[in-house]
Amino acid sequence: MNEKKAMQAARRRSLTFTLVRGAAAIGIALLVAAVLIFVSADGDRLAHTGEALRQLLIGPLFRSNGSINVKNICDVLAAMIPTIFTGLATCVMFSANQFNLGAEGGIMLGAFVSALFAVYVPLPAGVLPVVAVLAAAAAVSVMMLIPAVLKAKLGVSEMVNSLMLNYVVMYLIKYLLNTHLADKTKGQIQSYPFQEQARIAPLIDNGSMLTWGFVIALIFVVLTSLFMYRTRWGYGIRMIGINQDFARYSGMNVAAIVILSQVLGGALAGIGGGVEMLGRYSAYSWNALPGYGWTGITVAILAGNNPAFVPLAAFFMAYLNKGCLLMSTYCGVPSQLIDILQAVIFVFFAAKQFLAKYRQRLVVKGAQEELAAQKAAAAEAAAETAEGSVK
Amino acid sequence: MAEEYVVQMKGITKVYPNGIAANQDVDFNVRKGEIHALMGENGAGKSTLMKMLFGLEQPTSGEIWVNGEKVNLSSPAVAISKGIGMVHQHFMLVPSLTVAENMVLGMVPKKSGLFIDQKKAVEITEEYSRKFNLEVDPNAKVMDIPVGMKQKVEILKALVRGAKILILDEPTAVLTTQETTELFRELVNLKNQGYTLIFISHKLNEIMEITDRMTILRGGKSMGVHETKDVTAEEISRLMVGRDVVLKVQKDKAQPGDEVLRVRDLEYVNEWGKKMLDKVSFSLRRGEILGIAGVEGNGQKELVDMLFHLNVPNAGTATVNGENILGVSQRKIREKGVSLVPEDRMLYGIAGAASIQENMIADRCGSKRLNKGPMFDMKSIHAEVDQLIQDYTVLCKSGSQRVDNLSGGNIQKVVVAREFSNNPCLIIADQPTRGIDVGATEFIRKKLVELSRAGVAVLLVSADLNEVMELSDSLMVMCGGRIAAYFEDTSELSDEVMGEYMLGLKRQTPEEVRRVCHE
């Protein structure tokens, strides 16, 4: 019983620490933002800064008259869909200590492949989106085989390979789209329109692009969590991530797991690309890397490579983005500030030693409490035996 | 009489960031010119206490006084300036530099302000070597000199830096009997010259032999200070572990059965062209513990690496129950019933950031009884792990605790629990009790004997002479990559004889050695 209490106390302490640390990181970033806005503003600087920060912090939630802004909230949730998938993909790969950065090209390839199915493959409603998304997953899995097999068999750095692969994929898609697949009747380079039955239906019909894709993303969060923590393959992935020598010595097939983790990451990124493309667009028009893969890396790191925390991290990033967008739209704050802000928050989150002294104090306190409790228990026991002997 | 103490540590408490209270209100006082033992099981807080005295760690609370002056030892540099030196268990030397260069590292004598004055460095080394009667070869590269000499270099290094108080962290752990005797002579010599020595050790007989007083730690607390001449080995062991440790292992005579492991003409040349294994042949039978003794670096590590495919030999064969195990994946080796307690438990034995549970199921995570379809059967995993924790008395809060938060002895119990519980027919135990506490050591040794008597073949590799001689039914000595000697019955062996074979002074004839093949 006591042990359980001690474990809970320890868990509570680590949660307290995580929250305080996160709040402190955001606080410092806001302070930096405030200073920058204040310096760059014209006229009444104080009022201007106040309004800008208001937009950043609660703009995504409330209108200026105080009522709840459903459309904005839906926008934020919709923006989470692709980054949840890339975040999950990165979690799986990083957990295996495979620093594969291919989720960026992966989500683009996934979007493209599912778009091809949506345009050209005549399948009935209900079947087409599923097939298109699965095909996307398969395509990106195959793409990830390149860095994965090279790493497992030849020891080539998967980081360099996957990073370069992103651009190979992007230019390949651009080439195919420009030369063979473009709808020549349109003013911009894009594919022919998707068949109507290929689209993923909206969840709320308010023009926010919040589709059933959001629900699918959350289902995949649960599936990925279960996979990583409740199956032998996910276990293997985590073990080779912690100590590859140990995994090998224990009889795990390290090369197979290295490949598996990246193929799986590819599948997740591919599904993300498909779901995003079929939910948000009616024709394929991505001409450059969409950036969701990079955000996914940030999300995975914020989530500590734990799939369960990915939605939280994705929400945080989406909210921050929306807030910054509103801030630049309504208050004329330069959009570059967004990047600075994100960078500052990120630096403090990623810094292992940030607030380490505070953690130490928490831990010391905990240990002392535990010792005191032990002493008290011992004293009680002693008193009881003394009583017993008196009787 | 505070003046008589050169070191006073008062009420020292140290809490590590992972929440472990390594020291609780410890008082530690050392008189000038004595050899003071610091004893305790692993995880008792000896190393932590000494790290604080050497400035590697800072106490959470408490005071340190050196020579009657309160000091704040914020780094080893400060500790050195106060006359404190430390000889680490794992030598802190640069292998590719010469002895003299290592001696003057960080305080290099310069020639015309720019170049290293090699001659001066050698002179300094020779001067100190003579003064303290610690013989070293100033011009030899550290990687070429034997362990015993490396240790002397470490001691001299501390002395050159003006140390008057020397902390020796398990100095005899890597030495042969002869080298230990020599070290003790040198330590007594230092003591007679007025130096103060703090001696960390697990080995009772050594403590009894050379120390004046001792402080015993248990569970991070001091169990008091004792005059060595007033206490017996049994009393000390009781104070250390709080119960009587049986220092002898009880075991019946072995009844060797069929051959399990068969190794023939194994050869290995390492990447620097040195022949590490030279035609090693032996057989190991059911129900038998075959010990491999030898000074470290004589091929034992390489032999174990070959047998578990952590390395590939140049020639030779090895079979388990008639099936080849060389160059076969670890999974296949394990399927044949081979278990390994690895020498380096932090590298191979555990995944540090994972939980005890995750570490215990590593070799069986794919087994039917722990899986339900594609998913883990968490209930049977918990049940199995809880049973193992109980059977192997792993001291922990629960199976979900991180394994690297445990003490060395308990980490090793986790490794052993996993390796002993998967129905092995052959256990390779490489330094199974190195650097762990008396309680865990005794437990693991008992388990090994128990398993061997139940029919498991055990190959025991250990640098701890006591251990191999106590546990093994029969014994091989490795020297220079070859089997230098084989003793069918260990009970009539003496340390001195062993030492001669280990150091290569003697070697049995090929016919005598060939007996280990049981042909």
Side-chain angles (χ1 to χ4, degrees):
Chain A
M1 215 44 229
N2 246 338
E3 289 165 7
K4 222 172 214 173
K5 252 188 221 158
M7 283 301 283
Q8 276 167 356
R11 219 168 281 157
R12 209 167 42 238
R13 270 199 301 282
S14 94
L15 190 68
T16 315
F17 175 71
T18 312
L19 291 178
V20 168
R21 197 180 126 112
I26 294 168
I28 291 172
L30 284 177
L31 206 69
V32 173
V35 169
L36 289 177
I37 297 168
F38 188 80
V39 169
S40 65
D42 308 318
D44 187 354
R45 294 183 166 201
L46 211 57
H48 187 85
T49 309
E51 173 57 18
L53 286 182
R54 197 194 71 81
Q55 284 292 356
L56 174 67
L57 285 176
I58 56 172
L61 291 180
F62 303 106
R63 287 179 219 283
S64 46
N65 64 12
S67 64
I68 289 184
N69 192 334
V70 178
K71 165 75 168 55
N72 275 356
I73 295 174
C74 288
D75 278 346
V76 169
L77 296 182
M80 288 165 63
I81 299 171
T83 52
I84 285 180
F85 278 106
T86 50
L88 289 176
T90 310
C91 272
V92 171
M93 298 189 287
F94 281 20
S95 288
N97 223 4
Q98 301 302 309
F99 292 103
N100 186 315
L101 309 178
E104 180 68 40
I107 198 164
M108 185 169 182
L109 181 63
F112 182 68
V113 169
S114 64
L116 290 184
F117 271 73
V119 174
Y120 297 107
V121 181
L123 282 170
V127 179
L128 181 53
V130 175
V131 171
V133 168
L134 289 180
V140 183
S141 295
V142 172
M143 162 193 154
M144 289 300 197
L145 273 177
I146 299 170
V149 171
L150 283 175
K151 171 67 178 284
K153 297 295 173 202
L154 299 174
V156 186
S157 161
E158 76 286 357
M159 192 193 276
V160 176
N161 257 324
S162 58
L163 192 62
M164 294 192 299
L165 196 57
N166 287 336
Y167 294 95
V168 175
V169 167
M170 177 184 85
Y171 284 111
L172 193 68
I173 291 173
K174 279 183 78 158
Y175 166 75
L176 288 174
L177 189 63
N178 290 351
T179 52
H180 299 295
L181 304 170
D183 183 353
K184 298 286 186 332
T185 63
K186 291 288 189 299
Q188 62 163 357
I189 293 174
Q190 64 175 62
S191 74
Y192 289 97
F194 299 161
Q195 305 166 68
E196 199 44 49
Q197 74 270 27
R199 302 289 306 279
I200 292 172
L203 203 57
I204 300 175
D205 206 3
N206 60 359
S208 67
M209 301 299 169
L210 182 61
T211 63
W212 280 93
F214 186 71
V215 177
I216 300 173
L218 292 184
I219 290 173
F220 269 93
V221 169
V222 176
L223 288 179
T224 311
S225 285
L226 282 176
F227 177 82
M228 292 299 284
Y229 287 90
R230 288 285 185 273
T231 72
R232 49 190 178 276
W233 304 286
Y235 166 81
I237 286 175
R238 288 186 298 117
M239 289 306 120
I240 70 161
I242 295 172
N243 183 349
Q244 189 165 318
D245 290 313
F246 164 77
R248 191 157 69 96
Y249 144 89
S250 301
M252 296 177 201
N253 188 342
V254 171
I257 300 173
V258 163
I259 295 173
L260 172 73
S261 67
Q262 297 182 55
V263 166
L264 218 66
L268 284 166
I271 294 170
V275 168
E276 174 70 1
M277 182 49 60
L278 302 184
R280 194 180 279 271
Y281 303 93
S282 56
Y284 182 89
S285 63
W286 286 359
N287 245 316
L289 292 170
Y292 297 134
W294 310 137
T295 311
I297 293 168
T298 313
V299 166
I301 292 174
L302 288 182
N305 287 345
N306 186 341
F309 295 141
V310 161
L312 270 180
F315 175 77
F316 175 71
M317 294 301 290
Y319 192 93
L320 193 66
N321 254 319
K322 185 75 183 174
C324 289
L325 195 70
L326 292 173
M327 191 164 75
S328 81
T329 314
Y330 293 112
C331 305
V333 174
S335 61
Q336 287 87 339
L337 202 67
I338 300 175
D339 297 331
I340 297 178
L341 214 70
Q342 287 184 352
V344 171
I345 292 176
F346 195 60
V347 162
F348 280 102
F349 257 106
K352 283 213 170 72
Q353 287 304 313
F354 179 49
L355 291 185
K357 278 210 168 135
Y358 170 69
R359 191 212 308 255
Q360 166 76 357
R361 271 211 303 281
L362 270 182
V363 168
V364 170
K365 210 175 115 203
Q368 279 165 349
E369 272 167 15
E370 215 170 283
L371 288 175
Q374 272 173 16
K375 241 182 226 164
E380 216 169 87
E384 255 170 42
T385 48
E387 233 170 69
S389 64
V390 167
K391 275 176 192 168
Chain B
M1 282 290 286
E3 297 80 53
E4 66 171 315
Y5 293 126
V6 282
V7 172
Q8 282 180 288
M9 299 177 84
K10 298 179 184 168
I12 301 288
T13 296
K14 170 76 187 176
V15 179
Y16 276 113
N18 58 17
I20 290 169
N23 288 138
Q24 297 166 38
D25 200 19
V26 173
D27 289 323
F28 180 68
N29 300 315
V30 181
R31 287 190 191 130
K32 189 170 167 38
E34 71 170 346
I35 302 184
H36 191 113
L38 183 59
M39 303 191 63
E41 295 190 273
N42 252 77
K46 307 181 302 278
S47 306
T48 306
L49 192 67
M50 287 304 104
K51 278 182 187 165
M52 287 186 280
L53 184 55
F54 193 54
L56 288 164
E57 303 268 2
Q58 277 66 49
T60 311
S61 65
E63 293 176 357
I64 302 176
W65 296 65
V66 176
N67 294 320
E69 169 199 3
K70 190 180 168 193
V71 292
N72 173 20
L73 301 171
S74 53
S75 75
V78 177
I80 290 167
S81 75
K82 302 286 177 201
I84 298 169
M86 184 154 183
V87 177
H88 296 268
Q89 190 177 356
H90 306 285
F91 300 130
M92 305 286 178
L93 297 170
V94 185
S96 56
L97 295 184
T98 66
V99 169
E101 284 165 341
N102 268 286
M103 291 290 290
V104 298
L105 216 60
M107 40 180 281
V108 183
K110 299 267 173 61
K111 215 161 37 187
S112 44
L114 196 61
F115 302 102
I116 297 169
D117 190 343
Q118 290 284 358
K119 229 169 88 193
K120 191 80 199 298
V122 172
E123 269 169 30
I124 293 173
T125 309
E126 279 173 342
E127 181 199 328
Y128 274 83
S129 172
R130 251 195 323 276
K131 186 169 160 198
F132 297 105
N133 203 10
L134 289 161
E135 236 178 88
V136 294
D137 176 0
N139 293 309
K141 286 200 170 147
V142 164
M143 60 185 181
D144 298 330
I145 63 177
V147 181
M149 195 186 280
K150 281 184 195 157
Q151 191 156 46
K152 290 181 199 170
V153 176
E154 278 278 9
I155 296 172
L156 281 172
K157 233 174 82 186
L159 294 171
V160 167
R161 282 159 181 73
K164 296 283 176 206
I165 304 158
L166 270 181
I167 306 166
L168 300 144
D169 189 0
E170 300 196 29
T172 61
V174 288
L175 302 183
T176 60
T177 317
Q178 279 87 344
E179 284 172 328
T180 304
T181 317
E182 200 180 327
L183 174 73
F184 283 1
R185 213 171 38 237
E186 291 154 4
L187 293 185
V188 171
N189 182 19
L190 277 173
K191 173 186 144 181
N192 292 339
Q193 295 193 36
Y195 287 82
T196 307
L197 301 160
I198 301 171
F199 191 90
I200 305 177
S201 180
H202 296 301
K203 297 180 185 164
L204 295 180
N205 51 350
E206 292 178 356
I207 301 283
M208 302 304 289
E209 189 181 333
I210 88 160
T211 65
D212 301 304
R213 295 196 310 150
M214 64 182 73
T215 299
I216 298 173
L217 294 182
R218 190 208 298 172
K221 293 181 196 136
S222 172
M223 302 302 293
V225 185
H226 303 271
E227 297 278 336
T228 307
K229 60 180 191 302
D230 297 339
V231 287
T232 64
E234 286 73 25
E235 278 171 321
I236 298 172
S237 94
R238 243 197 322 278
L239 283 167
M240 275 168 67
V241 294
R243 63 195 157 87
D244 291 308
V245 175
V246 184
L247 293 171
K248 284 253 173 207
V249 178
Q250 308 285 337
K251 68 173 201 271
D252 311 329
K253 207 166 158 38
Q255 309 276 329
D258 302 336
E259 181 182 69
V260 175
L261 174 67
R262 180 190 178 93
V263 175
R264 290 294 179 271
D265 298 324
L266 212 56
E267 290 203 343
Y268 174 65
V269 179
N270 74 6
E271 52 194 298
W272 297 286
K274 188 171 177 202
K275 200 165 207 172
M276 295 310 292
L277 290 177
D278 188 1
K279 293 215 179 293
V280 171
S281 299
F282 65 94
S283 287
L284 170 58
R285 297 164 297 178
R286 265 174 67 86
E288 168 183 54
I289 302 180
L290 174 61
I292 298 183
V295 179
E296 271 181 88
N298 279 282
Q300 305 96 311
K301 179 189 177 316
E302 286 75 12
L303 174 63
V304 172
D305 284 355
M306 301 300 148
L307 295 181
F308 218 74
H309 193 204
L310 299 169
N311 209 334
V312 185
N314 300 86
T317 59
T319 58
V320 168
N321 294 326
E323 292 178 79
N324 171 44
I325 56 163
L326 290 181
V328 172
S329 78
Q330 280 82 10
R331 173 184 300 232
K332 294 248 170 66
I333 294 174
R334 283 182 179 277
E335 277 167 5
K336 295 186 205 314
V338 184
S339 273
L340 171 66
V341 178
E343 175 198 15
D344 190 336
R345 62 175 159 271
M346 301 312 272
L347 179 64
Y348 290 113
I350 59 159
S355 67
I356 296 172
Q357 173 166 305
E358 287 165 338
N359 274 283
M360 278 182 169
I361 63 167
D363 63 330
R364 63 202 67 169
C365 60
S367 80
K368 273 221 175 74
R369 71 173 188 285
L370 299 185
N371 285 278
K372 249 192 218 154
M375 307 288 284
F376 272 150
D377 181 353
M378 295 313 283
K379 230 187 198 161
S380 19
I381 290 180
H382 284 314
E384 172 146 351
V385 168
D386 287 347
Q387 190 63 45
L388 285 176
I389 288 175
Q390 203 183 340
D391 288 353
Y392 288 81
T393 61
V394 181
L395 217 63
C396 62
K397 286 172 181 163
S398 83
S400 55
Q401 199 179 341
R402 259 177 78 141
V403 78
D404 56 4
N405 281 357
L406 301 177
S407 72
N410 279 304
I411 289 178
Q412 187 72 341
K413 278 183 182 172
V414 171
V415 175
V416 163
R418 182 184 62 227
E419 298 302 319
F420 289 3
S421 64
N422 49 5
N423 288 324
C425 67
L426 166 65
I427 294 174
I428 303 170
D430 193 0
Q431 319 291 354
T433 64
R434 168 179 288 170
I436 65 176
D437 58 85
V438 182
T441 298
E442 189 203 346
F443 182 87
I444 290 170
R445 288 178 183 171
K446 261 192 184 152
K447 272 280 173 196
L448 275 173
V449 170
E450 197 183 302
L451 283 163
S452 83
R453 292 308 169 255
V456 178
V458 177
L459 184 65
L460 172 71
V461 183
S462 181
D464 181 345
L465 205 51
N466 260 326
E467 180 167 270
V468 268
M469 292 178 67
E470 240 354 277
L471 279 185
S472 309
D473 300 311
S474 49
L475 188 70
M476 305 192 290
V477 179
M478 285 193 74
C479 182
R482 286 198 277 175
I483 299 175
Y486 170 65
F487 304 99
E488 207 148 13
D489 188 359
T490 41
S491 53
E492 50 210 48
L493 275 173
S494 73
D495 299 14
E496 282 69 29
V497 175
M498 290 287 293
E500 285 172 349
Y501 284 107
M502 283 164 67
L503 291 176
L505 303 175
K506 272 167 98 180
R507 195 178 274 283
Q508 286 181 347
T509 62
E511 290 72 36
E512 280 177 296
V513 172
R514 197 76 193 170
R515 286 174 304 146
V516 71
C517 293
H518 305 294
E519 277 166 338

